[in-house]
Amino acid sequence: MQLSVIIVNYNVKYFLEQCLCSVHKAIRDLQAEVIVVDNASTDGSNEYLSSKFPQVRFIPLSENPGFAKANNLALQQATGEFILFLNPDTIVAEDTFRQCISFFEQQYDAASVGVQMIDGSGTFLPESKRAFPSAAAAFFKLSGIAALFPHSPVFARYNLGHLSLDEIHRVDVLSGAFMMVRKTVLDITGGFDEAFFMYGEDIDLSYRLSKTKKNGTAYANYYLGTVCIIHFKGESTKRNSARYVHLFYKAMQQFVDKYPDEFYHGFFKIIFTTGIAVRRFISSLSRFLPKASPKQKQNETLLIAAPAPLAEQLQKKIPGFTCTGVVQDLNSKLPTADAILLCNSEALSYQQIIEQTKRLGQTYHIYIHGEHSKSIAGSYSNKESGVTMELQ
């Protein structure tokens, strides 16, 4: 077995459906297995998806033990030479996994690889490549100074803003949304630290992977800017919820407490811990402030990028949209509309869907439909809840 793909799901069945459609295409030429752990979803995820993807191993849990523990449960059953931890709200290209495995085969010291991630509007996600949250890097990030100097190797150290997005770099931290790891290295480090319920576990594992040595090889984590995926982001835990604020800042504090000697000495630990508490308090208050009205999600004008027969079928099945045209050539001048539905087919690969999301995401709301799927999914940005719906 070359690859084991591990996905933890929690109440995002339509995002997961679209993810699995793309994963199915990406493993066609590989010896691979896909394991989905469902953390006690209440949206009928297991019932909805298990019959649609009989080749996927579903592990339904009766309670939610957290992201780290669920991944570790699947890891115990995984048999691949490489392990991919993948979020359910992602879309991968047909050659994504092959490119990562090829890099491992050429780069003997690679413990893990991550990729360039964009959100549903085609915007780069800075957590694709990060430095360890040292006292200085964390201070510049939390204080907002990093945002003022986004390309500074000093002030924007946390998100490595000085490194090119489209190149390959050796980095400290990779995102748990897409982290492919050598199984032989995981056998040494173990999986995620289950003390982290959600958030922070990828930073912790990245740190342990970077400290691993075997037979004279000092391993490292690599960011592949040449490989791009879509990560809708933030669907399992809404970013403005009390739960998100609690879990996120709790994870930050856990990391500080776990590695005081490596990153946070004496007075710096006091300052950083105080900073976390202040940011947590401010974030808690912000949830009660008036918010701008969300973008219109119903009755949008919609273009459908699909072969004519498929587009005709979809027009009758998509609720809440006014379909204003069918697009065959995405590189030609497109009609004016609010949104565009990119349908995977022989005429439009996932690689092309990702490229077009980058190109068109600032002009149109992007929705994605996997071949033979019964839903569509999209997200206007990483700061808003995603949009999914089942076809009628």
Side-chain angles (χ1 to χ4, degrees):
M1 188 70 68
Q2 291 173 282
L3 177 66
S4 297
V5 181
I6 295 175
I7 303 172
V8 175
N9 174 61
Y10 181 67
N11 288 330
V12 287
K13 64 181 180 182
Y14 298 132
F15 277 109
L16 178 55
E17 179 179 24
Q18 296 308 317
C19 174
L20 290 174
C21 285
S22 70
V23 167
H24 177 68
K25 296 290 182 72
I27 64 174
R28 276 187 172 177
D29 299 328
L30 298 171
Q31 291 180 310
E33 61 182 353
V34 182
I35 305 172
V36 173
V37 182
D38 186 83
N39 273 358
S41 293
T42 57
D43 66 349
S45 290
N46 193 63
E47 297 80 4
Y48 178 76
L49 294 168
S50 56
S51 61
K52 297 177 185 292
F53 299 94
Q55 73 279 17
V56 174
R57 190 187 321 168
F58 287 89
I59 304 176
L61 302 181
S62 58
E63 59 182 20
N64 184 353
F67 180 78
K69 191 168 185 176
N71 272 298
N72 288 347
L73 178 65
L75 180 60
Q76 294 172 9
Q77 302 183 27
T79 59
E81 179 183 358
F82 302 101
I83 306 295
L84 173 63
F85 300 109
L86 183 69
N87 268 28
D89 53 350
T90 55
I91 299 292
V92 300
E94 289 79 1
D95 65 346
T96 295
F97 301 160
R98 290 198 303 274
Q99 287 197 63
C100 293
I101 291 174
S102 177
F103 181 81
F104 274 114
E105 293 171 345
Q106 298 172 40
Q107 196 72 35
Y108 70 92
D109 69 335
S112 65
V113 300
V115 298
Q116 180 180 159
M117 298 188 297
I118 59 173
D119 66 15
S121 69
T123 302
F124 174 76
L125 292 173
E127 61 267 29
S128 301
K129 52 177 178 63
R130 287 173 288 175
F132 294 126
S134 66
F139 171 76
F140 292 135
K141 171 71 174 176
L142 291 173
S143 66
I145 295 175
L148 299 176
F149 305 96
H151 304 297
S152 168
V154 177
F155 299 124
R157 171 68 183 168
Y158 182 70
N159 288 127
L160 301 175
H162 62 292
L163 297 182
S164 167
L165 309 184
D166 303 315
E167 297 178 358
I168 296 174
H169 304 286
R170 184 170 174 166
V171 300
D172 290 341
V173 177
L174 298 174
S175 170
F178 186 108
M179 181 187 288
M180 189 180 291
V181 192
R182 287 187 196 272
K183 180 62 162 58
T184 53
V185 181
L186 277 175
D187 289 340
I188 300 171
T189 63
F192 291 111
D193 183 343
E194 295 178 7
F196 294 88
F197 184 87
M198 182 179 288
Y199 308 115
E201 70 288 316
D202 49 1
I203 301 176
D204 173 73
L205 181 56
S206 293
Y207 180 70
R208 287 185 282 121
L209 290 170
S210 71
K211 294 299 181 182
T212 304
K213 295 182 180 180
K214 182 180 180 181
N215 298 329
T217 298
Y219 285 101
N221 305 313
Y222 284 87
Y223 163 77
L224 307 187
T226 53
V227 182
C228 185
I229 71 167
I230 296 172
H231 179 204
F232 294 112
K233 192 181 176 186
E235 295 310 313
S236 293
T237 302
K238 305 306 181 185
R239 292 177 61 82
N240 288 325
S241 68
R243 183 168 180 261
Y244 168 82
V245 171
H246 171 71
L247 292 175
F248 181 78
Y249 288 103
K250 177 184 177 183
M252 293 180 67
Q253 187 63 56
Q254 283 178 279
F255 190 81
V256 172
D257 294 339
K258 185 172 181 177
Y259 300 106
D261 295 331
E262 289 89 337
F263 300 107
Y264 312 100
H265 302 280
F267 184 62
F268 291 103
K269 179 178 179 180
I270 296 174
I271 292 177
F272 188 51
T273 300
T274 303
I276 292 175
V278 171
R279 283 298 296 263
R280 185 175 187 170
F281 177 71
I282 293 173
S283 295
S284 298
L285 290 180
S286 67
R287 294 186 295 107
F288 300 100
L289 297 176
K291 296 177 177 61
S293 299
K295 294 181 181 179
Q296 180 67 38
K297 296 180 177 64
Q298 296 295 320
N299 298 316
E300 290 182 305
T301 54
L302 178 72
L303 301 175
I304 300 179
L310 174 60
E312 185 176 349
Q313 295 176 23
L314 290 173
Q315 287 185 53
K316 304 173 184 177
K317 298 180 178 180
I318 305 175
F321 291 93
T322 301
C323 298
T324 57
V326 176
V327 178
Q328 302 293 336
D329 182 7
L330 287 167
N331 294 313
S332 63
K333 183 175 175 58
L334 300 179
T336 300
D338 297 316
I340 185 165
L341 176 62
L342 303 176
C343 303
N344 175 242
S345 66
E346 291 185 1
L348 188 62
S349 68
Y350 279 110
Q351 180 63 53
Q352 292 171 315
I353 286 175
I354 293 169
E355 292 170 355
Q356 293 297 339
T357 299
K358 272 188 171 183
R359 191 175 76 87
L360 301 173
Q362 300 301 311
T363 305
Y364 301 90
H365 295 159
I366 303 293
Y367 297 93
I368 295 173
H369 171 71
E371 194 171 16
H372 307 305
S373 70
K374 302 299 182 182
S375 65
I376 67 173
S379 178
Y380 303 153
S381 79
N382 61 66
K383 296 180 176 62
E384 296 183 47
S385 298
V387 181
T388 61
M389 62 186 69
E390 187 172 5
L391 302 182
Q392 295 180 343

